[in-house]
């Protein structure tokens, strides 16, 4: 089911700036028992993204009501929320008034093998790089060609995710996930100041580490540092945590810290800690 | 008038990957007396963009027939062609078969002041930078947030265009145009190997220079080099050539080489040299 500006629909205006320029932002949430998980955090990032792009964000109550309508009866599903700058005339210039387009849509829960979460996943390093632009870094905007090209690099179904470096050679994230490494009992995850998405589950894990006195650094990470890591895992709001068992030819154990974080993520996603 | 996959329409599927990821390319052409100008060159770039992104390009005859239908009776207008990777399931992965979406639309001719072409335009230097990514450089893809943000930087109607630098500080292009400078009787235009669009009119001017033994270099250009130029002009398929009379506080004359190129561009756009 999909609502476009509150109305059940399957189409959007062909003049929408989301289509013409990728002029908008989106969120992807896990839904359990009719409720979107980590609701406040996703809404907060959506608002931040809208603010960065200068797009009027939808009112909380309106968005919540549409989300409730779309999620009703869903035992387990994926919710996608998109906000674009709405219809526009030809040209990059924004001509006020802006009537943002809201898209609230429910998708089937992806059928990933259970082994991904239990035994870990195989990952490859992508050739496609992430360009560095602080103006667009961190937010979940609709300019996603780099991810599309990176995900097109492999068809081997046994590879679950691709790791993306930026053009300067830093490891940044997976095509659809953030990455953490463990070294000497500490967590490290790449900074996303120049490119990459500040993932919600990434933020949750950083917070978890802080509350449990687990060292956690946000830093620049080289591929060599990832190769030499004791443990590696991926995360996002849908998968929770996937231990990484292999990146190209380097193997990792599903170690104690990864397991601890994975259990926390899974519990949180089972318990529906959403205040929605 | 707009055709979506050959049918008059005002909407596209809300599952189109053009909307979700900016997963597509576009072209903008001038139309005179029902004919799109520089047709072959635009189609060639569209095909190159589709090839780079791995999107099946529409058949020549099909596209031409739709363009003819849309342009019929238009004395002067702007034609926009968009090709996206079509509808997709959620996620970056491309699941074959791909049925690309074709959008062919006619827009009013923009009402720019006549003085722009005759006396030149005022230009500002934008704060928003272009990120460097060779994988996406040159083609006219739908990830255009950098241009949107740059164009949002000013509202002063007396400023016609904004100049964009890349994150390394090189001058690359205007938000909607390419730039040439003149120095000691030679033309220079920025290379677009790392970012920027390989504009059709830019290519036409490079070719014109070569055929008339005018020195023309494609190179990295600094803002200082632009400031010290004898003449500066902008170009694209719709405006032809606009002399630049001012960039921030630096003034330029509408000099002899700019005038020569501008006359050529204007003649070409009047004469409808299209083989369409």
């Amino acid at each position: 089911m999909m609502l476009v500006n509150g109305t059940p629909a399957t189409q959007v205006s062909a003049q929408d700036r989301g289509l013409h320029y990728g002029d908008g932002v989106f969120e992807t949430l896990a839904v359990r028992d009719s409720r979107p998980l980590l609701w406040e955090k996703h809404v907060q990032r959506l608002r931040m993204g809208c603010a960065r792009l200068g797009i009027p964000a939808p009112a909380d109550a309106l968005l919540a009501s549409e989300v409730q309508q779309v999620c009703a009866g869903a035992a387990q599903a994926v919710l996608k929320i998109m906000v674009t700058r709405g219809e526009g005339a030809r040209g990059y210039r924004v001509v006020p008034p802006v009537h943002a387009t809201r898209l609230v849509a429910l998708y089937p829960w992806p059928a990933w093998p259970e082994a991904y979460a239990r035994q870990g996943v195989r990952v490859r390093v992508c050739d496609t790089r992430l360009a560095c632009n602080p103006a667009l870094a961190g937010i979940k905007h609709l300019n996603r060609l780099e991810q599309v090209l990176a995900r097109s690099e492999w068809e081997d179904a046994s590879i679950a995710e691709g790791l993306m470096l930026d053009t300067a050679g830093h490891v940044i994230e997976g095509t659809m996930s953030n990455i953490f490494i463990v070294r000497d009992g500490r967590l490290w995850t790449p900074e996303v100041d120049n490119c990459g998405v500040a993932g919600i589950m990434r933020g949750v894990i950083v917070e978890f580490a802080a509350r449990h006195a687990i060292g956690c650094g946000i830093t620049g990470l080289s591929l060599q540092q990832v190769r030499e890591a004791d443990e590696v895992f991926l995360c996002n709001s849908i998968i929770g945590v996937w231990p990484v068992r292999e990146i190209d030819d380097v193997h990792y154990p599903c170690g104690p810290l990864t397991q601890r974080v994975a259990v926390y993520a899974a519990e949180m996603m089972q318990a529906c800690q959403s205040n929605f």
Side-chain angles (χ1 to χ4, degrees), chain A residues 29-231:
Chain A
L29 298 82
V31 175
R32 292 282 164 93
D33 303 326
S34 308
R35 288 183 178 183
L37 305 191
L38 301 168
W39 171 249
E40 289 86 357
K41 291 177 195 289
H42 281 284
V43 168
Q44 192 180 1
R45 184 175 61 181
L46 187 75
R47 292 195 173 288
M48 189 185 71
C50 285
R52 283 270 289 284
L53 300 183
I55 296 174
D60 276 346
L62 179 69
L63 190 60
S65 141
E66 292 175 5
V67 165
Q68 193 172 25
Q69 189 181 338
V70 163
C71 294
Q76 190 172 35
V78 173
L79 174 70
K80 186 164 180 173
I81 301 172
M82 187 190 294
V83 177
T84 79
R85 206 184 303 268
E87 288 187 77
R90 202 186 58 78
Y92 298 122
R93 190 161 74 93
V94 177
V95 182
V98 169
H99 299 292
T101 298
R102 287 184 319 283
L103 205 140
V104 178
L106 205 68
Y107 294 86
W109 187 257
W112 285 306
E114 273 188 49
Y116 281 11
R118 284 205 317 269
Q119 289 145 39
V121 295
R122 287 183 64 208
V123 172
R124 69 189 293 282
V125 178
C126 293
D127 296 324
T128 306
R129 298 293 181 102
L130 294 164
C132 297
N133 195 341
L136 295 176
I139 64 173
K140 211 165 162 72
H141 56 68
L142 297 175
N143 279 198
R144 292 290 153 206
L145 267 175
E146 291 170 334
Q147 284 73 22
V148 169
L149 291 182
R151 187 59 192 81
S152 299
E153 289 182 25
W154 81 96
E155 291 183 19
D156 181 345
S158 76
I159 296 173
E161 176 62 309
L163 196 57
M164 298 187 74
L165 281 58
D166 69 13
T167 49
H170 303 105
V171 172
I172 303 297
E173 60 190 8
T175 64
M176 59 156 192
S177 61
N178 289 108
I179 184 172
F180 281 79
I181 69 167
V182 177
R183 188 74 202 249
D184 299 328
R186 287 179 60 91
L187 293 170
W188 299 94
T189 190
E191 58 193 8
V192 290
D193 300 333
N194 290 312
C195 56
V197 174
I200 297 301
M201 189 56 77
R202 172 182 176 271
V204 164
I205 292 168
V206 169
E207 200 182 313
F208 169 77
R211 277 191 284 108
H212 292 81
I214 301 164
C216 180
I218 298 173
T219 184
L221 268 191
S222 69
L223 194 52
Q224 190 57 30
Q225 285 171 303
V226 172
R227 287 197 176 115
E228 293 169 0
D230 301 326
E231 310 170 22

